[in-house]
Amino acid sequence: PSSGAPPAGAIPLPPDANGRVFIETKSGQTRCQLDSDSVGCEAPFTNPPTEEGEKANGVNITAAGEVQWVAGNLGDIPTVPIDYRTYDAVGWTIEASESGTRFTNQRTGHGMFVSIEKVDTY
C-alpha cells in the first residue's frame, strides 16, 4: 500500500498538455512514457521475451499492476533526461540509480524496476 504522496524531496516533472511525462535515463539506454494510468519503457533489454516473433524492446505496467511486453518504438518523444535522483510524475514516484529505475504508483503501490538486465514488477 502507498501513502498517495510523493516522497519528501522528490523533484516534480510536470506533464505535457496530454497528461504525459517522457523521460530518458542518465545512461541514455532507457526511455519511458508515463501517464496517470501506466508507465511504458523502451530499452535494449539483454534477455526479453518474444512478442509476435520479435524480441520485446518495451515493457508497460498499469497502476493496477498489469504487465505487458511489447515490440515497438516510442518514436521521437520529447524526453527529459533524469539523473540518479527521486522524481514525482503524474502520480508515480521515479527512483533512478546506476542499477536501474524504479517506478511506483503512489495510489496503488504497484510498479516495476527496469534495467537493461532485468525487469521486476510488483
Side-chain angles (χ1 to χ4, degrees):
S2 182
S3 68
I11 299 164
L13 296 174
D16 67 8
N18 296 315
R20 294 191 181 107
V21 172
F22 304 97
I23 63 162
E24 181 174 322
T25 60
K26 187 171 182 173
S27 70
Q29 295 191 79
T30 305
R31 300 184 316 148
C32 304
Q33 171 180 302
L34 299 88
D35 62 35
S36 61
D37 296 324
S38 66
V39 175
C41 292
E42 173 184 274
F45 298 109
T46 55
N47 194 22
T50 301
E51 292 295 326
E52 298 177 16
E54 294 183 49
K55 283 192 173 193
N57 65 339
V59 62
N60 187 73
I61 190 161
T62 67
E66 297 163 354
V67 179
Q68 179 183 13
W69 285 87
V70 295
N73 188 315
L74 288 173
D76 186 20
I77 57 175
T79 58
V80 173
I82 61 170
D83 205 335
Y84 299 140
R85 306 273 306 269
T86 299
Y87 299 87
D88 172 34
V90 290
W92 296 84
T93 298
I94 306 166
E95 298 167 279
S97 69
E98 285 185 50
S99 60
T101 308
R102 179 176 304 279
F103 300 89
T104 304
N105 185 275
Q106 296 161 1
R107 185 173 39 84
T108 66
H110 287 294
M112 65 180 171
F113 175 83
V114 177
S115 69
I116 301 302
E117 297 78 25
K118 67 177 179 173
V119 173
D120 291 326
T121 59
Y122 49 91

